[in-house]
């Protein structure tokens, strides 16, 4: 079974430059309550509502709207035309680096945390379904992965590749994606490199 890590255009340069999808605390841009530090993945085939960027010009990116209304459509193409497209990395669920969140020891440690349980409740209310979540507890190196872009539907850009052994075609695709990512970051005045110093 495929497990997906959904992300935005502005993250691609960091991911490919570093060679891994970083755990959430390494690329956090703001404050807030941080109870976990994992790479989050899901079995779901649609972009998770809880992972949408909050963009004032697009009402449908406000998570509260999805909590209050079940059938709010998120037009990924419309948002992507302005802020950069949406992407998803996929890995096989048999990959030993990832584990099912719902039955994990990591979740057991948070089951008595009321704030966390409310967050899970919100995820369920917007149909992200915490039972479909998976985690990697360490940075997820780009080995044995595929990459898709949302462009009227999900389209494969890279299939079953590893950064340690790329074809010329795959290298060119990654170079183009890094350039697009950096350009979008510059256009919107956001950092194109999010990894914090160790």
């Amino acid at each position: 079974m495929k497990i997906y890590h959904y992300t935005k255009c502005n993250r691609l340069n960091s991911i490919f430059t570093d060679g891994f999808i970083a755990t959430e605390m390494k690329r956090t841009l703001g404050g807030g309550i941080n109870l976990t530090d994992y790479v989050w993945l899901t079995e779901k085939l649609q972009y998770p509502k809880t992972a949408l960027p909050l963009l004032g010009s697009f009402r449908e990116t406000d998570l509260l709207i999805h909590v209050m209304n079940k059938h709010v459509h998120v037009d990924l193409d419309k948002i992507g035309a302005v802020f950069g497209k949406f992407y998803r990395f996929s890995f096989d669920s048999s990959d030993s680096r990832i584990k099912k969140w719902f039955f994990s020891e990591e979740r057991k440690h948070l089951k008595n945390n009321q704030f966390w349980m409310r967050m899970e409740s919100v995820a369920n209310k917007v149909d992200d379904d915490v039972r479909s979540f998976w985690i990697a507890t360490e940075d997820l190196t780009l080995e044995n992965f595929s990459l898709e872009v949302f462009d009227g539907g999900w389209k494969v850009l890279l299939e079953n590749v590893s950064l340690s052994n790329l074809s010329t075609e795959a290298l060119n695709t990654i170079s183009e994606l890094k350039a697009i990512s950096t350009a979008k970051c510059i256009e919107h005045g956001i950092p194109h490199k999010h990894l914090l110093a160790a």
Side-chain angles (χ1 to χ4, degrees):
M1 177 172 61
K2 281 189 175 182
I3 307 298
Y4 301 96
H5 174 77
Y6 289 85
T7 194
K8 302 164 278 296
C9 178
N10 66 298
R11 300 290 190 170
L12 290 182
N13 183 59
S14 287
I15 291 171
F16 283 119
T17 298
D18 297 328
F20 55 82
I21 301 168
T23 60
E24 58 200 304
M25 291 295 290
K26 285 193 179 73
R27 291 208 173 96
T28 187
L29 292 175
I33 298 172
N34 296 302
L35 298 172
T36 63
D37 186 24
Y38 310 128
V39 177
W40 289 93
L41 306 100
T42 180
E43 299 166 19
K44 291 276 194 165
L45 298 177
Q46 67 273 5
Y47 202 96
K49 304 285 193 328
T50 48
L52 284 169
L54 179 57
L55 305 167
S57 52
F58 293 95
R59 182 176 173 270
E60 66 268 32
T61 63
D62 186 338
L63 189 58
L64 187 57
I65 301 239
H66 295 280
V67 171
M68 298 186 324
N69 303 281
K70 276 284 187 190
H71 304 291
V72 177
H73 175 64
V74 178
D75 190 334
L76 294 181
D77 284 316
K78 182 177 73 173
I79 299 168
V82 177
F83 290 97
K85 294 185 184 295
F86 292 87
Y87 297 82
R88 67 182 184 189
F89 289 86
S90 64
F91 300 85
D92 194 271
S93 60
S94 64
D95 191 320
S96 62
R97 300 173 298 167
I98 57 179
K99 64 174 94 170
K100 186 90 169 172
W101 168 248
F102 201 76
F103 304 111
S104 69
E105 287 300 314
E106 289 80 3
R107 183 174 184 266
K108 283 180 187 172
H109 293 306
L110 285 170
K111 284 189 78 173
N112 293 326
N113 185 296
Q114 290 183 357
F115 179 79
W116 183 262
M117 288 297 107
R118 281 197 301 273
M119 288 175 62
E120 286 202 354
S121 175
V122 167
N124 286 333
K125 283 179 183 172
V126 300
D127 293 327
D128 283 355
D129 186 6
V130 297
R131 288 179 179 267
S132 69
F133 290 177
W134 292 63
I135 58 166
T137 57
E138 305 289 335
D139 299 332
L140 195 52
T141 55
L142 295 180
E143 299 296 316
N144 303 315
F145 74 97
S146 296
L147 178 68
E148 296 170 80
V149 61
F150 194 89
D151 188 4
W154 291 105
K155 297 179 180 174
V156 176
L157 297 175
L158 298 166
E159 189 163 22
N160 197 25
V161 298
S162 296
L163 284 192
S164 60
N165 184 24
L166 290 171
S167 67
T168 302
E169 183 182 357
L171 277 168
N172 289 339
T173 297
I174 289 170
S175 292
E176 289 171 17
L177 290 169
K178 288 172 69 176
I180 291 167
S181 175
T182 300
K184 275 294 176 187
C185 288
I186 291 168
E187 178 185 341
H188 294 287
I190 56 179
H192 62 274
K193 187 88 169 80
H194 297 289
L195 187 61
L196 299 178

